[in-house]
Amino acid sequence: MAKQSSTLAALPRAEVCAYWVLSFGSHLYSFYQLHIFSKEHEAGLERQFQLEKGFLIWGHKKDPTDFEWSFWSHWARKSLLWTLLGHAVVSRLASFFIPKFRVTAQLAYGLLVACCAVGIKGLGVVLGHLGLSLAVAQLCNPALSWSCALLLLSTLHIPPLQEIQRSWYQTEEEYYLLLFSVAVCGLRFISFSLEHCWRPLEAGGLQQQVYWLTAYSFYHPLFFNGPILTFKDFLQQMQVPVKDRGARITFLSLLANTGRICVWWLIAEYMIHLMYMHTIQANETYLEILPPWALGGLALALVQFFYVKYLVLFGVPSLLAGLDGLAPPKLPRCVSIMHSFTGMWRHFDVGLYHWLIRYIYIPLGGSHHGLLWKMLSTALAFGFVCFWHGGHDYLQYWALMNWVGVLVENGVTILISSPLVYPSIERCISPAMRRRCLALISAFSTAMLILSNLIFLGGNHVGRIMWKRVFIQVCCPHLLQDVHRCSCTQESKGWCTVAPPMLAFLYCFAQIGLEWEHNPP
């Protein structure tokens, strides 16, 4: 389906405007219904989940139960914003006064900050993983490097080791900072090891390898949470002398990008002040009694908050990396215009996507060795992502859904593009109607994509209840008034009342996504 996007026909302007209005209006109305539901059940949610006192909107509380947002907000207030600012100052001063030792200054600063953040013992864990990865890489055997990397990553999930590492810290937040740092560094160690196996002399002798691997691993803006940059790209871009770089980031563009990140942060905070979507998704009772529009608002709010959250979490380090002359991966694309599993993987976490393609998909043969190897390469890529995130049961379902979704989309694309089918489609269906048919097919794909993302964000129970509410049944209307008293025994079918309007709006979202790809702003 994606291959046909470049030849999509333009639709009448009025039709495209209608899709925009319906898409934007459905977002706002569903968010409003979720806001109303959140306020009506605020007392019960506060008793169960301890909502925090809000600070952006007078009289509103705040939903603090998204772990990532609360975790990184805590560290940003505590130290991270200051250390990132310190990196920018150190890097600018080094580039101006000692340009030949700029990378060395960044390395030293990154090691110092990492030591202060995760402690001497935590730093020792990261350096131990680095040393083992470097030693195994000297054998220039990709299979051994992969085995070492998987073994090191598996140590993050061994309960006795977890308890030992927890005992080093006074709070859970400090332990999780170490956990995240080691996990992200694991991807960097794999990148270095495989690049060294393929091109042993690119990073120089052993001393130079130690230097560049340490600089790459402890580059402070990307150290804790990414985004992921391959060792090859980091090495090539960092070796460019300061005087030979292209146009520098101007003060106005720096100010504009900083302001954009602040707007994203405000949007994320406003969302958790106005809609308690994370506390609602954690309680099956509330999921069962949500009105249909609020149910749709919950699904959209969860995936949109995930998107805006990563605009902030990736936007800040990407801004600083750009100041250092690096070309970080593109920021995530809006999930509301994602209309395929393939597009979601290509355009959300772009750094991780390129990492998976370079180090798993292509080395295993990808699409160049037939359908079975393509299926195997894709399955192992999703399997690794599941393992890297922790390998929990809900992650296994999420990875399986994504694998099947990508395979089905590719299968449909191959079928439609085949010489036996495409000429008939081209002869019988007008270009504009072909685009509408593509958007209709994409609506079903988007529905499954959102469902898989809800499983990733909320767990199996969220996906199970969403599937039941949308495609099987809608809960008894009297439950909306009183969850304990319900005299109605007749249930209406969800497919008749919820699924058609949902697919209609997803069709509009898909049309906007196709328009965005066909005529990017």
Side-chain angles (χ1 to χ4, degrees):
M1 288 182 287
K3 292 180 180 178
Q4 301 298 326
S5 62
S6 59
T7 59
L8 289 176
L11 295 177
R13 184 180 297 272
E15 183 177 348
V16 175
C17 289
Y19 293 142
W20 273 103
V21 171
L22 289 171
S23 299
F24 193 63
S26 64
H27 277 73
L28 290 181
Y29 185 70
S30 61
F31 287 165
Y32 172 72
Q33 289 296 320
L34 180 60
H35 166 69
I36 295 298
F37 185 88
S38 299
K39 297 302 291 182
E40 289 177 348
H41 297 83
E42 183 176 87
L45 291 169
E46 186 173 12
R47 283 195 303 271
Q48 187 171 359
F49 296 100
Q50 297 181 343
L51 300 175
E52 293 181 356
K53 183 178 180 181
F55 62 91
L56 278 181
I57 308 174
W58 181 264
H60 282 74
K61 297 185 182 298
K62 173 184 173 181
D63 182 353
T65 50
D66 181 78
F67 173 77
E68 270 192 310
W69 186 252
S70 298
F71 177 84
W72 291 115
S73 296
H74 164 78
W75 279 105
R77 293 190 300 268
K78 184 177 181 180
S79 61
L80 197 53
L81 284 179
W82 299 108
T83 58
L84 289 172
L85 182 61
H87 169 89
V89 172
V90 169
S91 183
R92 289 299 91 201
L93 291 176
S95 298
F96 186 78
F97 291 107
I98 48 172
K100 291 184 178 181
F101 299 97
R102 172 179 56 91
V103 177
T104 304
Q106 294 173 352
L107 188 160
Y109 182 81
L111 280 170
L112 177 63
V113 172
C115 182
C116 294
V118 300
I120 292 291
K121 294 179 179 178
L123 180 64
V125 171
V126 180
L127 289 174
H129 286 209
L130 184 151
L132 283 172
S133 300
L134 177 65
V136 175
Q138 302 309 305
L139 302 175
C140 294
N141 188 317
L144 287 178
S145 292
W146 265 111
S147 299
C148 175
L150 294 175
L151 181 63
L152 291 174
L153 286 173
S154 67
T155 62
L156 299 177
H157 310 295
I158 299 176
L161 289 178
Q162 290 178 330
E163 292 306 315
I164 292 174
Q165 292 173 355
R166 276 190 169 93
S167 67
W168 299 343
Y169 304 107
Q170 296 180 345
T171 64
E172 281 287 293
E173 286 80 6
E174 293 173 304
Y175 164 71
Y176 279 113
L177 188 66
L178 172 65
L179 186 68
F180 293 156
S181 302
V182 174
V184 175
C185 283
L187 299 183
R188 299 191 187 104
F189 300 153
I190 295 173
S191 177
F192 166 81
S193 299
L194 295 180
E195 295 291 351
H196 180 72
C197 291
W198 297 335
R199 299 177 182 82
L201 300 179
E202 191 168 281
L206 182 60
Q207 185 177 355
Q208 283 294 304
Q209 292 174 36
V210 173
Y211 174 78
W212 281 110
L213 176 57
T214 309
Y216 171 56
S217 302
F218 288 93
Y219 179 68
H220 179 56
L222 310 182
F223 176 73
F224 293 110
N225 196 44
I228 304 301
L229 194 66
T230 66
F231 178 76
K232 178 185 177 182
D233 291 338
F234 180 86
L235 182 65
Q236 290 177 346
Q237 295 168 21
M238 276 297 191
Q239 285 180 333
V240 177
V242 175
K243 60 183 179 61
D244 294 337
R245 290 179 183 171
R248 296 182 178 181
I249 297 179
T250 64
F251 176 76
L252 286 179
S253 63
L254 174 63
L255 195 63
N257 288 330
T258 304
R260 190 177 296 116
I261 294 171
C262 291
V263 170
W264 294 332
W265 177 83
L266 283 172
I267 291 173
E269 285 291 336
Y270 268 104
M271 289 183 73
I272 57 178
H273 277 73
L274 294 174
M275 299 175 289
Y276 306 144
M277 58 271 195
H278 299 107
T279 56
I280 292 172
Q281 75 159 1
N283 187 299
E284 293 192 21
T285 300
Y286 289 116
L287 288 174
E288 294 282 5
I289 67 174
L290 272 170
W293 271 104
L295 184 71
L298 177 71
L300 289 175
L302 287 171
V303 296
Q304 283 291 351
F305 181 82
F306 185 64
Y307 159 65
V308 176
K309 173 174 65 178
Y310 270 90
L311 285 178
V312 177
L313 296 182
F314 283 174
V316 174
S318 294
L319 177 61
L320 293 174
L323 291 175
D324 289 333
L326 295 174
K330 292 182 179 180
L331 294 179
R333 181 182 291 183
C334 178
V335 291
S336 288
I337 60 174
M338 300 283 193
H339 51 85
S340 67
F341 285 90
T342 307
M344 184 73 180
W345 280 94
R346 285 178 177 172
H347 301 299
F348 191 82
D349 192 340
V350 179
L352 180 60
Y353 171 76
H354 288 159
W355 191 98
L356 293 170
I357 292 294
R358 181 166 180 79
Y359 300 119
I360 298 180
Y361 185 75
I362 292 178
L364 289 174
S367 59
H368 298 292
H369 294 277
L371 180 61
L372 289 179
W373 277 106
K374 182 175 182 178
M375 293 173 64
L376 177 63
S377 303
T378 309
L380 289 177
F382 286 126
F384 175 79
V385 175
C386 174
F387 170 75
W388 183 66
H389 279 93
H392 305 292
D393 58 346
Y394 71 93
L395 292 171
Q396 296 170 21
Y397 285 110
W398 166 76
L400 179 62
M401 287 186 67
N402 278 265
W403 179 60
V404 172
V406 169
L407 291 182
V408 170
E409 288 174 356
N410 280 298
V412 173
T413 299
I414 293 172
L415 177 64
I416 292 176
S417 304
S418 66
L420 295 176
V421 176
Y422 190 71
S424 300
I425 295 176
E426 198 171 25
R427 184 173 59 254
C428 300
I429 305 177
S430 67
M433 190 56 67
R434 289 201 295 270
R435 170 171 167 172
R436 297 184 183 103
C437 291
L438 175 59
L440 181 61
I441 296 173
S442 297
F444 287 90
S445 181
T446 305
M448 295 300 101
L449 176 63
I450 293 175
L451 183 65
S452 73
N453 287 335
L454 292 176
I455 292 174
F456 178 79
L457 297 173
N460 289 333
H461 74 281
V462 178
R464 172 175 50 80
I465 294 175
M466 285 287 182
W467 175 265
K468 183 183 71 173
R469 292 286 312 275
V470 173
F471 293 107
I472 299 177
Q473 65 185 24
V474 64
C475 71
C476 173
H478 292 277
L479 286 174
L480 302 180
Q481 303 299 326
D482 192 336
V483 71
H484 300 295
R485 298 176 182 177
C486 177
S487 59
C488 182
T489 59
Q490 184 179 4
E491 293 181 340
S492 56
K493 294 297 180 182
W495 176 257
C496 299
T497 58
V498 179
M502 179 203 71
L503 290 172
F505 286 116
L506 292 181
Y507 168 82
C508 296
F509 298 172
Q511 285 285 14
I512 297 302
L514 293 170
E515 185 71 20
W516 190 277
E517 293 174 359
H518 188 63
N519 297 306

